[in-house]
Amino acid sequence: MEEKQSAEKSGVKIRRVIIKNGKNVDYPEKPVKNDPIVAQKRKILFVASEARPFIATGGLADVIGSLPQALAKDPAYDIRVVLPLYLDIKPEYRRKFSFLGNIFVPLAWRQQYCGIFTYEENGVTYYFIDNEQYFKRSGCYGYFDDGERFAFFSRAVMEILPFIDFYPEVLHCHDWQTALAAIYLKTIYCQRPEYQFIRSLFTIHNIEYQGKYALDILEDLFGIDNSNASLLEYAGCINLMKGAIECSEKFSTVSPTYANEIKTAEYAHGLQDIIAKNWFKLTGILNGIDVDSYNPMKDTALFASFSADDLENKKVCKSELQKMLGLPIKDVPIIAMITRLVSHKGLELVKAAAEDILHEDVQFVLLGTGDAAYENYFRDLGRRYEGKASINIAFNGDLSRKIYSGADIFLMPSISEPCGLSQMIASRYATVPVVRETGGLFDSIKPYGNGGNGFTFNSCNPYDMLYVLHEAMDTYKNKEEWKALMKKVATTDFSWDHSAEEYKKLYEETLKV
């Protein structure tokens, strides 16, 4: 009571009371100097299905591996992350995890074992949810019972809070796999005193994957009463992403342009009406990258280190890459793609223009896996243009860094791209991006002709793509101009610093709802 009066006398409004361990704790809206009760850190809990350096299948892991650490640099924040304990989590990390204990998690009619492990790194506390029935399998996704697996994970997140004695102010959920955490908060846990002031933020990394299931399993599988069916029902089925948008105080996407794009039927994959209904809750914040990890001065995967101020060794990276991939060592532009081989990555544009590209004095390098039809097409292209094209159907982190550092031009002609990280990573290694103006590509890469940091085109037309590729190749011939462009590209700030500040603002807005 004395601390509360001290805060009130200082002109600070008490924002809320949280009941914790049987005691009332008052949190002021603004900090009061030298007052112990107000020295509370902002408590943010990230809920995600993957994160570097533990396990990764795509860009989500990069974000969850970097953003919490960027936020944790601010001593005013207590940042924690919850992840599933997958079988494939790297052994060098699993050995460092500490076992906290176990609980049993209710999921509809089931009571499931939940082990809780923890680990700390760079100011972030990580928790790992263990259940071998659900997570002792290779990979992260693609199983028939993914709905149940991530329902258990989401319910476990809510159940462990008393055990770890951490009630976040903001529950930050990511993509459909964790949508149920935001839904459970509003449907099951909101009546519990410890939970009633938790606010949720839901971030969409790719709206194409929404978590759709039959309505008749709502109670038996997900443990949600049919009286709440309207929160999740959409187009005749359960839609977990729709439910999270409805239940969260705020939702966001990973770039401002993508936030606008998903308001339209062209990009929303059927959710445009829900987006339109909730548009006032929507924010777009451009992702960053881990500039310490992607640092050509320190990256041990590179053939030689270099910097934006001294690009000489990039020539070594290029010649060694050519040697490694069986390409002639010559001074021609290497056009590279590192991508999933799926249609929305713009591969139809590449197929339509590939012959024209390879008739130029260039070399083409591709790394990626995906749809069999694309894999077979590019394999055939590599056979027909042996010595000019190197096609690598693989997922290879070491080779990707060698390509980023050794290539000259990075091609990313995506039909849709919520944010995209490859164009930022390529830039970090002084490889000039050529991108289509969509989503985060539009927000991060601006046309060189207007003083920008790459080459861009707008329409889904292979000849427009070819036109800007020719612009890039012509610029490459002017060595001084190209060197200046490489330096500009390499010094573009794609760190998390600005984005982390934007997320802090969004957390404050979320807490005001």
Side-chain angles (χ1 to χ4, degrees), residues 9-23:
K9 285 178 182 178
S10 302
V12 177
K13 295 179 180 178
I14 297 300
R15 177 158 56 83
R16 65 179 184 257
V17 176
I18 294 180
I19 301 174
K20 182 177 176 183
N21 297 331
K23 297 179 181 180

Side-chain angles (χ1 to χ4, degrees), residues 325-341:
L325 298 180
L327 298 171
I329 300 174
K330 54 191 295 192
D331 183 17
V332 297
I334 295 179
I335 301 171
M337 292 185 72
I338 300 173
T339 182
R340 284 187 295 122
L341 301 180

Side-chain angles (χ1 to χ4, degrees), residues 261-274:
E261 288 176 341
I262 63 171
K263 297 175 184 177
T264 68
E266 182 180 359
Y267 290 93
H269 292 275
L271 278 181
Q272 62 273 9
D273 293 341
I274 300 302

